[in-house]
Amino acid sequence: GDSGVVIDRERIADLANMYDLFSRVPASVHHLRDALSERIRLDGRSLVRDQETGVAPPAAFVKGVLDMRERFAAVVGDAMRGEKKGQKRMREAFEDFLNADARAANCLAVYVDELLRVGLRGADERKVQRELDRVIVIFRYLADKDVFEAYYKNHLAKRLLGNKSGSEEAERAMVSLLKAECGYQFTSKLEGMFNDMRISKETAEKYRTHKKGLVGAGSDARDAENGGRPVDVEVSVLSNSHWPSQNVEPCVLPTAVRAAMDRFQKYYLATYTGRKLSWQTSTGSAEIRANLPPAKGSSKPRRHDLSVTTYQMCILVLFNTRDMLTLKQIRDETHIPEDELRRHLVSLCTPKHRILRKGSKGKGISGDDDTFTYNAEYTSKMTRVKVPMVSMRDATSGSASAAAAGNGDAAAASSATAAASGRAGLVDGSSAVPIAVEEDRRHLLEAAIVRIMKARKRLNHNDLVAEVTRQLSGRFVPPPQFVKKRVESLIEREYLERDEGDRRVYRYMA
């Protein structure tokens, strides 16, 4: 009990004296190690409870873990003279509460996202390295490294496509650290994402040069929707195998934007033969110009350049020809998925950015008949306005004139969209393993079992579980029951068979 109090108060010098005293009877030092381990577990579970109940957001949870790690590393390093057994007990205690579920892997990815977006903006190389090294220390404790990878990849995609990275050097430094920890296999897709963005910039430059050569080559009647001017699109062409796949049907885009996309597609497919473009309208952004009636006492029309998502652009352009629309009408004309439609509409009706007026009261949308009206009185001190998105929770809690003139749809994938949605189950702060990660685990586990059995030909169950766990521990630790299920599945599909003399021994079937 006494040693626990000393650790709590961080009285390192007192604890060092106690450690020196206990060291004279080596068998008694384990009492100090037990107290250290118990205190780490108690403090860790307290952080987990705060995150569970919403008291601490994901990033705050990770900051708490980082502070704990520094505090207890000082206890082991200074008071316990850096002894190996103390370090081992500290590591085991951290692993115990961090790996109770997939929460820590998820929260760490969110923390790194915040760090790379804003936390390290303008930081020098030394500070960047120090902060990322602290993250890697916690990453080493994680059993669910594949869950971290799924969330990290999702956040990285948003940073790259939205141009939200604070520093490209910091981004690449983080990937290098992950590569050093887990090997090339772990980071190959992340490196592929950076490569895609580099190639996309080169393609965009070539397309701009190509467009200059087409001046006066005939106009497209669809550009009339944009005052006869062609919409300028910037397209990121992404390899489907590298990026989080999003199994979302494209929405109905304004005709002038479709004309611009068709021009790019014609150029791209003529330049790169044998490829297929699949447009991802759910990840795009746009700039549109809103021309509003003059303010009182002025004859000059008001103008705002709105920075919005592709979905918001599709919604706002509908109000060029009508002042009022219902939720059902907007859904039928845009084909935007229901939850996203509600979220994007609510974002256009917030008190600060009330570009549209919602008929119902409260935050959410009441139903299909809820109306949305063009707000001619919308005003902002800024000429250029970025319309922020509300969270999905706010958008669904209550159910709960614009001309296209900017960067249209942003992302296309260079092959058909994969079936597993990159978003499936990716909820920040969630303790569950995402569906797509579960699916990947099944394939990885079965591949590892077949690989081991092909090499060994004959192996008993316990040895197989131990070898599979050893090979896959760099990504996740498969529970024995999970291994057993995959073995049963492989036996059914005649990859393996049970030995007739001993049912706990498996044989590889060539």
Side-chain angles (χ1 to χ4, degrees), residues 246-449:
Q246 306 199 345
N247 199 17
V248 182
E249 286 296 313
C251 65
V252 178
L253 294 157
T255 54
V257 175
R258 283 206 300 277
M261 286 165 58
D262 288 347
R263 286 191 288 270
F264 175 84
Q265 185 154 324
K266 184 180 177 184
Y267 160 79
Y268 186 83
L269 297 181
T271 309
Y272 304 96
T273 55
R275 297 192 183 183
K276 180 184 175 185
L277 290 180
S278 173
W279 294 93
Q280 301 289 319
T281 54
S282 59
T283 56
S285 61
E287 287 186 14
I288 59 177
R289 181 162 295 165
N291 296 306
L292 302 163
K296 280 185 182 179
S298 170
S299 59
K300 188 179 176 183
R302 290 175 298 120
R303 192 189 85 190
H304 292 289
D305 291 337
L306 307 176
S307 180
V308 294
T309 66
T310 301
Y311 283 163
Q312 288 172 326
M313 171 192 71
C314 296
I315 293 164
L316 289 172
V317 168
L318 298 178
F319 290 88
N320 278 337
T321 53
R322 286 155 291 183
D323 284 346
M324 182 186 287
L325 289 161
T326 64
L327 174 67
K328 185 178 186 306
Q329 287 173 316
I330 296 170
R331 184 195 303 120
D332 292 346
E333 293 194 37
T334 61
H335 292 180
I336 297 171
E338 184 67 24
D339 285 348
E340 290 294 341
L341 177 61
R342 288 172 179 263
R343 184 182 175 212
H344 284 73
L345 277 167
V346 169
S347 299
L348 293 167
C349 301
T350 59
K352 190 174 179 183
H353 299 283
R354 192 164 280 142
I355 300 161
L356 301 178
R357 290 187 186 279
K358 184 163 62 75
S360 64
K361 302 291 182 188
K363 276 186 181 179
I365 296 169
S366 60
D368 279 3
D369 296 329
D370 206 349
T371 59
F372 297 87
T373 312
Y374 156 66
N375 180 17
E377 296 169 11
Y378 170 75
T379 184
S380 173
K381 292 177 183 177
M382 312 291 289
T383 303
R384 183 183 171 85
V385 180
K386 180 167 176 59
V387 180
M389 290 294 297
V390 300
S391 68
M392 191 65 83
R393 188 184 301 170
D394 286 345
T396 55
S397 62
S399 0
S401 132
N407 301 329
D409 202 49
S414 63
S415 66
T417 309
S421 167
R423 289 182 180 176
L426 294 188
V427 180
D428 288 348
S430 167
S431 61
V433 175
I435 298 165
V437 175
E438 286 277 20
E439 191 65 34
D440 286 344
R441 284 182 175 185
R442 275 198 288 275
H443 296 316
L444 281 168
L445 186 52
E446 288 183 358
I449 293 168

Side-chain angles (χ1 to χ4, degrees), residues 139 145 149 174-191 474-475:
F139 176 75
K145 290 183 172 66
E149 183 200 14
M174 183 66 198
V175 172
S176 295
L177 287 170
L178 290 172
K179 189 175 183 178
E181 284 298 314
C182 302
Y184 170 75
Q185 210 80 33
F186 192 86
T187 58
S188 59
K189 289 183 179 180
L190 303 178
E191 289 172 334
R475 292 188 65 79

Side-chain angles (χ1 to χ4, degrees), residues 462-476:
N462 289 344
D463 289 344
L464 178 61
V465 171
E467 183 59 22
V468 163
T469 303
R470 188 188 67 77
Q471 288 196 14
L472 295 178
S473 59
R475 292 188 65 79
F476 72 102

